[in-house]
Amino acid sequence: MVDKEDLRIAIGADHAGFPLKQALIDSVLKDYEVIDLGTNSTDPVDYPDIARKVATVVSAGRAKMGILICGTGIGMAIAAGKVRRIRAARCTEPFSAELSRRHNDANVLCLGARVTGVEMAKRTVEVWLNTPFDGGRHARRVEKIE
Ligand code: RB5
């Protein structure tokens, strides 16, 4: 279990992910310190710009974890994964989210607003934020990625 007060979360979305971003901020993230890096409307924006903002904040240690939302979660995961120290996991449901923390120590969760429904997305975020890294043999593997 992660202490909510110690956990600053950076979040960002493109136009496709904007409504889900707001829904998450108003529900599962309401007790966390959230750095909202946009976008703030459904006007089209380019997902790599938002991915870079969130990934940079997490990479620099200004937030412990990041959440990125686009239509599929795929573009955000590809873009965020280019940033040093970022392990971005595109998850569509809680099981993948759990394993992305336990085995991969994922520090950015990528969601697809056109793929995963709001309630499933909320549960996915909840599980992701509350699942610790298993370490052990998984730490060796994560080090090899670095
Ligand atoms: C925007 O239409 C869409 O391409 C974007 O949200 C995302 O799904 C990219 O991976």
Side-chain angles (χ1 to χ4, degrees), residues 14-17 45 47 69-76 114:
D14 73 356
H15 51 289
V45 292
Y47 63 83
I69 311 157
C70 62
T72 60
I74 296 170
M76 288 296 197
R114 294 173 179 157

Side-chain angles (χ1 to χ4, degrees), residues 5-63:
E5 273 140 41
D6 293 344
L7 186 55
R8 196 179 304 133
I9 299 163
I11 192 166
D14 73 356
H15 51 289
F18 164 67
L20 179 57
K21 172 169 73 71
Q22 298 314 119
L24 295 174
I25 290 172
D26 293 341
S27 57
V28 280
L29 298 177
K30 69 178 186 311
D31 296 329
Y32 291 89
E33 190 183 337
V34 172
I35 306 174
D36 184 355
L37 295 165
T39 189
N40 292 309
S41 78
T42 52
D43 295 343
V45 292
D46 296 338
Y47 63 83
D49 297 334
I50 306 287
R52 190 180 56 185
K53 283 185 191 174
V54 168
T56 302
V57 164
V58 174
S59 180
R62 281 182 274 132

Side-chain angles (χ1 to χ4, degrees), residues 65-83:
M65 296 169 109
I67 298 173
L68 283 165
I69 311 157
C70 62
T72 60
I74 296 170
M76 288 296 197
I78 293 170
K82 299 281 182 191
V83 177

